Amino acid sequence: MTASATIHSDATRQQADAWRRQTSLRRFYTAFGVGLLLVAMLATMWFADEANAGHFFDRLPHILDFLSWLIPKDWNDVWRALFDIASPHDKGTQEFNFPLGRVHVWGGFYIPEYFELMLTTVNVALVSTFIGFVFAVPFSFIAARNLTPSPILRLVVKRFMELLRAFPEIVIAGLFAAIVSIGPVAAIIAIGLHSIGALGKLFYEINENIDMRPEEGLRAVGANWLERVRFADLPQVLPNFMSYTLLRIEINVRISTIMGAVGGGGIGEELKLAISRGFGAKTLALVLLLFVTIFLVDQFSAWLRRKLVGEQAFLMSA
């Protein structure tokens, strides 16, 4: 073996040793990090369990006990609960008092109470999304870097929208509940404010990627900022604005259900009561109604988005 070959072999061996040392060191750091994370997680769970007296670990073996009361003895009680039809199992308790929840519209025609509550939840989502859309559109044009009339105004609007979406809806609802009392109005204000921040961010990111040639053409003939936004920018971005707004409606239906569980009205409050009292048939009826409603909203908004932005956009994102 020549001297040059020996030197090359030694260099290769040294590189292999260095690679093995680096690999071993990386594995050690990974194992140490995972172990540290597990210890921190277990310590946090133990501290939370001891601090709030939740006794999570004591109740862990009973985590599936709810199935014993969730599964009704008579599955027909689920349909009776959904349509407020009297149950033969009613013994005077609130578990089977279905006929008390009817909203009479005209004569003998009535809407079951749960359907009316579901309509309230959907209405909260629609109104709050509309509020979010109306304010997010002008804010998005001011916040867009390529369209803003003033850099200072742009920074102020962007920070304002960040502030609106920084706090969860429940926190904002708690603040307004002290002013306008608990109910759908506080939920609408909370979800509407959060929607302004969330939609505004999505909208101005769309605005910053538009084709600027129509904008420059109108600027060349003396059009002011509002005219350029109206005739050059808005037609380009409106289909995408509507697509994100429809997606936001789906999100807000779920959020308004959660808001109902904390006093925001609608189906969430009844669902919370049914679960806390162990009314299995009512709980399943409400979950079924909620699932069907969200499924229908998802399908309708997806169909409408396809009509607005075209099938090609969905194929490209798939």
Side-chain angles (χ1 to χ4, degrees):
M1 180 179 294
T2 62
S4 60
T6 303
I7 292 172
H8 179 72
S9 176
D10 290 341
T12 303
R13 192 179 303 110
Q14 289 174 0
Q15 289 177 352
D17 291 340
W19 182 82
R20 279 194 290 269
R21 284 196 297 271
Q22 289 180 356
T23 302
S24 300
L25 196 61
R26 188 167 57 247
R27 287 173 180 169
F28 170 75
Y29 285 146
T30 302
F32 181 75
V34 171
L36 195 63
L37 184 64
L38 285 174
V39 170
M41 188 174 67
L42 290 173
T44 303
M45 291 177 65
W46 175 83
F47 177 76
D49 188 58
E50 293 294 323
N52 61 16
H55 302 295
F56 173 77
F57 293 108
D58 294 339
R59 299 296 302 169
L60 194 58
H62 307 283
I63 196 168
L64 297 178
D65 285 357
F66 73 96
L67 290 175
S68 61
W69 62 262
L70 183 64
I71 298 175
K73 296 177 182 176
D74 185 353
W75 282 94
N76 289 324
D77 280 337
V78 177
W79 303 106
R80 295 186 185 111
L82 194 60
F83 295 100
D84 294 321
I85 299 172
S87 170
H89 307 289
D90 187 8
K91 297 179 180 178
T93 64
Q94 292 185 351
E95 185 175 2
F96 298 106
N97 62 342
F98 307 143
L100 298 179
R102 296 178 178 179
V103 179
H104 290 273
V105 179
W106 180 75
F109 180 74
Y110 70 93
I111 298 175
E113 183 188 28
Y114 293 157
F115 285 78
E116 187 198 33
L117 293 173
M118 194 70 243
L119 285 175
T120 302
T121 298
V122 174
N123 280 338
V124 168
L126 291 175
V127 174
S128 57
T129 307
F130 177 75
I131 293 172
F133 178 82
V134 167
F135 286 95
V137 169
F139 285 170
S140 70
F141 286 108
I142 297 172
R145 187 180 298 106
N146 53 338
L147 303 176
T148 183
S150 165
I152 296 176
L153 188 60
R154 166 178 168 265
L155 287 177
V156 171
V157 170
K158 286 187 74 172
R159 299 293 88 78
F160 176 65
M161 290 193 294
E162 288 171 1
L163 181 67
L164 291 179
R165 63 174 182 272
F167 298 97
E169 292 88 343
I170 291 179
V171 175
I172 304 175
L175 176 65
F176 281 94
I179 302 172
V180 297
S181 80
I182 295 175
V185 175
I188 288 172
I189 295 173
I191 301 174
L193 289 176
H194 197 275
S195 297
I196 293 172
L199 287 176
K201 175 180 171 55
L202 295 172
F203 289 176
Y204 82 71
E205 288 178 351
I206 295 172
N207 291 337
E208 290 180 345
N209 291 288
I210 63 171
D211 184 357
M212 293 299 291
R213 285 175 294 184
E215 165 92 9
E216 292 167 358
L218 285 178
R219 189 193 298 270
V221 297
N224 60 35
W225 185 79
L226 283 176
E227 290 170 337
R228 296 198 302 273
V229 168
R230 166 65 183 85
F231 296 105
D233 307 328
L234 192 60
Q236 295 187 58
V237 297
L238 196 55
N240 286 328
F241 278 13
M242 295 305 298
S243 176
Y244 279 120
T245 303
L246 291 169
L247 184 62
R248 187 69 199 180
I249 290 175
E250 299 174 18
I251 297 170
N252 283 349
V253 169
R254 299 183 184 93
I255 295 173
S256 58
T257 304
I258 297 171
M259 299 291 284
V262 294
I267 200 74
E269 190 170 1
E270 286 297 317
L271 182 59
K272 178 189 174 188
L273 289 174
I275 293 174
S276 63
R277 295 175 182 176
F279 297 162
K282 284 186 176 180
T283 301
L284 288 179
L286 292 170
V287 170
L288 179 64
L289 180 61
L290 187 62
F291 173 76
V292 171
T293 303
I294 291 176
F295 174 78
L296 292 176
V297 171
D298 285 353
Q299 292 300 309
F300 177 72
S301 61
W303 173 80
L304 204 53
R305 285 204 305 274
R306 282 184 167 85
K307 293 295 181 185
L308 289 171
V309 301
E311 293 283 347
Q312 191 64 29
F314 285 82
L315 293 175
M316 291 176 66
S317 60

